């Protein structure tokens, strides 16, 4: 079984990426509660039908405080010899939120950038352990699809490259 955890920043394109994963043959579940993740993996690995040979699960900040539990859940999954990969989508988001005039899930009545900053802190551990990181800031939808296909269809070596300019 090929198991992918799709995560990242709110507004970075996770919903679009989940749809793309479905298009390339993955069985996808978006916003699965963390408490159900381990059981879902267990049930998926027991299935021998073709539908569940490739599975992608979307997990993000909507899980609230339960997001802290994912470390332990992922460790237990690893101990059960289930291999998984993490795809993390990142982006520069303040402009996107201003363009769509939507509130960030963590900003509440505060400024959008405060919510984004809080989300970055909470998701930092997932980003650090990610197998693939795609910055969607400048990507068109078709370019994101091409990147996902390179990784999960063509099995090309994917290298994360970070350049920080201060």
């Amino acid at each position: 079984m090929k198991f992918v955890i799709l995560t990242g920043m709110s507004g970075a394109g996770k919903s679009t990426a989940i749809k793309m994963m479905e298009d390339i043959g993955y069985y996808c579940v978006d916003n699965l509660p963390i408490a159900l993740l381990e059981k879902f993996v267990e049930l998926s690995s027991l299935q021998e039908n073709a539908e569940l040979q490739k599975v992608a699960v979307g997990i993000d900040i909507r899980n609230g405080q339960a997001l802290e539990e994912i470390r332990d859940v992922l460790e237990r999954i690893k101990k059960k010899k289930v291999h998984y990969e993490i795809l993390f989508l990142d982006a520069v988001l303040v402009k996107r939120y201003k363009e769509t005039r939507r509130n960030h899930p963590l900003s509440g009545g505060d400024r959008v950038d405060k919510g984004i900053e809080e989300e970055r802190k909470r998701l930092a551990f997932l980003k650090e352990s990610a197998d693939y990181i795609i910055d969607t800031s400048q990507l068109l939808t078709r370019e994101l699809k091409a990147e996902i296909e390179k990784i999960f269809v063509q099995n090309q070596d994917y290298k994360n490259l970070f350049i920080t300019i201060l």
Side-chain angles (χ1 to χ4, degrees), residues 19-108:
K19 290 174 188 166
M20 291 172 181
M21 296 292 281
E22 269 184 349
D23 290 345
I24 60 174
Y26 278 77
Y27 181 84
C28 297
V29 178
D30 193 14
N31 200 23
L32 184 72
I34 302 295
L36 298 177
L37 181 62
E38 190 173 0
K39 193 67 171 172
F40 179 76
V41 170
E42 185 180 310
L43 291 172
S44 298
S45 61
L46 293 175
Q47 299 293 317
E48 294 189 18
N49 60 0
E51 262 184 15
L52 295 177
Q53 292 308 303
K54 298 191 300 186
V55 176
V57 176
I59 293 178
D60 56 38
I61 204 69
R62 292 176 289 178
N63 272 286
Q65 295 302 322
L67 190 62
E68 298 299 318
E69 299 169 21
I70 196 165
R71 291 177 202 211
D72 296 332
V73 171
L74 292 177
E75 193 61 39
R76 289 193 300 269
I77 290 171
K78 194 178 282 186
K79 284 181 181 175
K80 293 179 181 177
K81 306 276 192 252
V82 175
H83 176 71
Y84 62 86
E85 296 176 311
I86 298 176
L87 170 60
F88 190 95
L89 299 181
D90 201 355
V92 177
L93 296 166
V94 175
K95 183 179 174 190
R96 285 189 187 177
Y97 276 98
K98 286 183 179 177
E99 287 172 353
T100 60
R101 296 182 183 214
R102 293 183 64 202
N103 287 331
H104 186 276
L106 296 180
S107 66

Side-chain angles (χ1 to χ4, degrees), residues 108-134:
D110 212 352
R111 293 177 32 175
V112 169
D113 59 333
K114 299 290 185 193
I116 293 170
E117 184 179 323
E118 178 64 25
E119 183 178 25
R120 282 201 191 285
K121 286 180 195 172
R122 290 190 191 179
L123 295 178
F125 72 96
L126 280 171
K127 187 174 182 179
E128 289 169 9
S129 59
D131 298 285
Y132 313 103
I133 300 171
I134 299 176

